[in-house]
Coordinates of all heavy atoms in Angstrom, one line a residue:
C1 N -146.1 47.1 67.7 CA -145.2 46.7 66.7 C -143.8 47.4 66.9 O -143.8 48.5 67.2 CB -145.8 47.1 65.3 SG -147.3 46.2 64.9
L2 N -142.8 46.6 66.5 CA -141.5 47.1 66.4 C -141.0 47.0 64.9 O -141.3 46.0 64.3 CB -140.5 46.4 67.3 CG -140.8 46.5 68.8 CD1 -139.8 45.6 69.6 CD2 -140.7 47.9 69.2
Y3 N -140.3 47.9 64.5 CA -139.8 47.9 63.1 C -138.3 47.8 63.2 O -137.6 48.8 63.5 CB -140.2 49.2 62.4 CG -141.7 49.3 62.4 CD1 -142.4 50.0 63.5 CD2 -142.5 48.7 61.5 CE1 -143.7 50.0 63.5 CE2 -143.9 48.8 61.5 CZ -144.5 49.4 62.6 OH -145.9 49.5 62.7
R4 N -137.7 46.7 62.8 CA -136.3 46.3 63.0 C -135.6 46.1 61.7 O -134.9 45.2 61.5 CB -136.1 45.2 63.9 CG -136.7 45.3 65.3 CD -135.9 46.4 66.1 NE -136.4 46.8 67.4 CZ -136.1 46.2 68.6 NH1 -135.4 45.1 68.6 NH2 -136.6 46.7 69.7
G5 N -135.8 47.1 60.7 CA -135.2 47.0 59.4 C -133.9 47.9 59.5 O -133.9 48.9 60.2
I6 N -132.9 47.4 58.7 CA -131.7 48.2 58.6 C -131.4 48.2 57.1 O -131.2 47.1 56.5 CB -130.5 47.6 59.4 CG1 -130.8 47.5 60.9 CG2 -129.2 48.4 59.1 CD1 -129.7 46.9 61.7
G7 N -131.3 49.3 56.5 CA -131.0 49.4 55.1 C -129.7 48.8 54.7 O -128.7 49.0 55.5
G8 N -129.6 48.0 53.7 CA -128.4 47.4 53.3 C -128.1 46.1 54.0 O -127.1 45.4 53.7
D9 N -129.0 45.7 54.9 CA -128.8 44.4 55.6 C -129.0 43.2 54.7 O -129.6 43.3 53.7 CB -129.8 44.4 56.8 CG -129.3 43.5 57.9 OD1 -128.2 42.9 57.8 OD2 -130.0 43.3 58.9
D10 N -128.4 42.1 55.1 CA -128.6 40.8 54.4 C -128.9 39.8 55.4 O -128.9 40.0 56.6 CB -127.4 40.5 53.5 CG -126.1 40.4 54.2 OD1 -126.2 40.0 55.5 OD2 -125.1 40.6 53.7
T11 N -129.2 38.6 54.9 CA -129.6 37.5 55.8 C -128.5 37.0 56.7 O -128.7 36.5 57.8 CB -130.1 36.3 55.0 OG1 -129.2 35.9 54.0 CG2 -131.4 36.6 54.3
F12 N -127.2 37.2 56.3 CA -126.1 36.8 57.1 C -126.0 37.7 58.4 O -125.9 37.2 59.5 CB -124.8 36.9 56.4 CG -124.6 36.0 55.2 CD1 -124.7 36.5 53.9 CD2 -124.3 34.7 55.4 CE1 -124.6 35.6 52.9 CE2 -124.2 33.8 54.4 CZ -124.3 34.3 53.1
R13 N -126.1 39.0 58.1 CA -126.0 40.0 59.2 C -127.3 39.9 60.1 O -127.2 40.1 61.3 CB -125.8 41.4 58.7 CG -124.5 41.7 58.2 CD -124.5 43.1 57.6 NE -123.2 43.8 57.8 CZ -122.7 44.2 58.9 NH1 -123.2 44.0 60.0 NH2 -121.5 44.9 58.9
M14 N -128.4 39.7 59.5 CA -129.6 39.7 60.3 C -129.6 38.5 61.2 O -130.0 38.6 62.4 CB -130.9 39.6 59.4 CG -132.1 39.8 60.2 SD -133.6 39.7 59.3 CE -133.9 37.9 59.3
Y15 N -129.1 37.4 60.8 CA -129.0 36.2 61.6 C -128.1 36.5 62.8 O -128.5 36.1 64.0 CB -128.3 35.0 60.8 CG -128.1 33.8 61.6 CD1 -129.2 32.9 61.8 CD2 -126.9 33.5 62.2 CE1 -129.1 31.7 62.6 CE2 -126.8 32.3 63.0 CZ -127.8 31.4 63.1 OH -127.7 30.3 63.9
E16 N -127.1 37.3 62.7 CA -126.2 37.7 63.8 C -126.9 38.6 64.8 O -126.5 38.7 65.9 CB -124.9 38.3 63.2 CG -124.1 37.4 62.4 CD -123.6 36.2 63.2 OE1 -123.2 36.3 64.4 OE2 -123.6 35.1 62.6
R17 N -127.9 39.4 64.3 CA -128.5 40.3 65.2 C -129.9 39.9 65.7 O -130.7 40.7 66.3 CB -128.7 41.7 64.5 CG -129.6 41.8 63.4 CD -129.7 43.2 62.8 NE -130.5 43.3 61.6 CZ -131.7 43.6 61.6 NH1 -132.4 43.9 62.7 NH2 -132.3 43.7 60.4
L18 N -130.2 38.6 65.6 CA -131.5 38.1 66.1 C -131.8 38.3 67.5 O -132.9 38.6 68.0 CB -131.7 36.7 65.7 CG -131.9 36.4 64.2 CD1 -132.0 34.9 64.0 CD2 -133.2 37.0 63.7
D19 N -130.7 38.2 68.4 CA -130.9 38.4 69.8 C -131.4 39.8 70.1 O -132.4 40.0 70.8 CB -129.6 38.2 70.5 CG -129.7 38.3 72.0 OD1 -130.6 37.7 72.6 OD2 -129.0 39.0 72.6
V20 N -130.8 40.8 69.6 CA -131.1 42.2 69.8 C -132.5 42.5 69.1 O -133.3 43.2 69.7 CB -130.0 43.2 69.3 CG1 -130.5 44.6 69.4 CG2 -128.8 43.0 70.2
S21 N -132.6 42.1 67.9 CA -133.8 42.4 67.2 C -135.1 41.7 67.6 O -136.2 42.2 67.5 CB -133.6 42.2 65.7 OG -132.5 43.0 65.2
L22 N -134.9 40.4 68.1 CA -136.1 39.6 68.3 C -136.1 39.0 69.8 O -137.1 39.2 70.5 CB -136.2 38.4 67.4 CG -136.5 38.7 65.9 CD1 -136.5 37.4 65.2 CD2 -137.8 39.4 65.8
Y23 N -135.1 38.3 70.1 CA -135.2 37.4 71.3 C -135.3 38.2 72.6 O -136.0 37.7 73.5 CB -133.9 36.5 71.4 CG -133.7 35.7 70.1 CD1 -132.5 35.2 69.8 CD2 -134.8 35.3 69.3 CE1 -132.2 34.4 68.7 CE2 -134.6 34.5 68.2 CZ -133.3 34.1 67.9 OH -133.1 33.3 66.8
Q24 N -134.7 39.4 72.6 CA -134.9 40.2 73.9 C -136.3 40.7 74.1 O -136.6 41.0 75.2 CB -133.8 41.3 73.8 CG -132.4 40.8 73.9 CD -131.4 42.0 73.9 OE1 -131.8 43.1 74.1 NE2 -130.2 41.7 73.7
V25 N -137.1 40.8 73.0 CA -138.4 41.4 73.1 C -139.5 40.3 73.1 O -140.7 40.7 73.3 CB -138.7 42.5 72.1 CG1 -137.8 43.7 72.4 CG2 -138.5 42.0 70.7
K26 N -139.2 39.1 72.6 CA -140.1 38.0 72.6 C -141.5 38.3 72.0 O -142.5 38.3 72.7 CB -140.3 37.5 74.0 CG -139.0 37.0 74.7 CD -139.3 36.5 76.1 CE -138.0 36.0 76.7 NZ -137.1 37.0 77.2

């Protein structure tokens, strides 16, 4: 498991970081 939470994050910013947070690790 990976834990990719960032305090204070919102759905706008998370959408922008999907590549680093998800797509690169599949």
Side-chain angles (χ1 to χ4, degrees):
C1 298
L2 296 177
Y3 303 90
R4 300 291 172 91
I6 301 177
D9 204 1
D10 60 27
T11 56
F12 295 105
R13 285 179 147 291
M14 191 181 85
Y15 180 81
E16 296 298 320
R17 69 176 172 97
L18 288 174
D19 183 51
V20 170
S21 296
L22 292 178
Y23 304 154
Q24 292 180 16
V25 294
K26 300 176 178 76

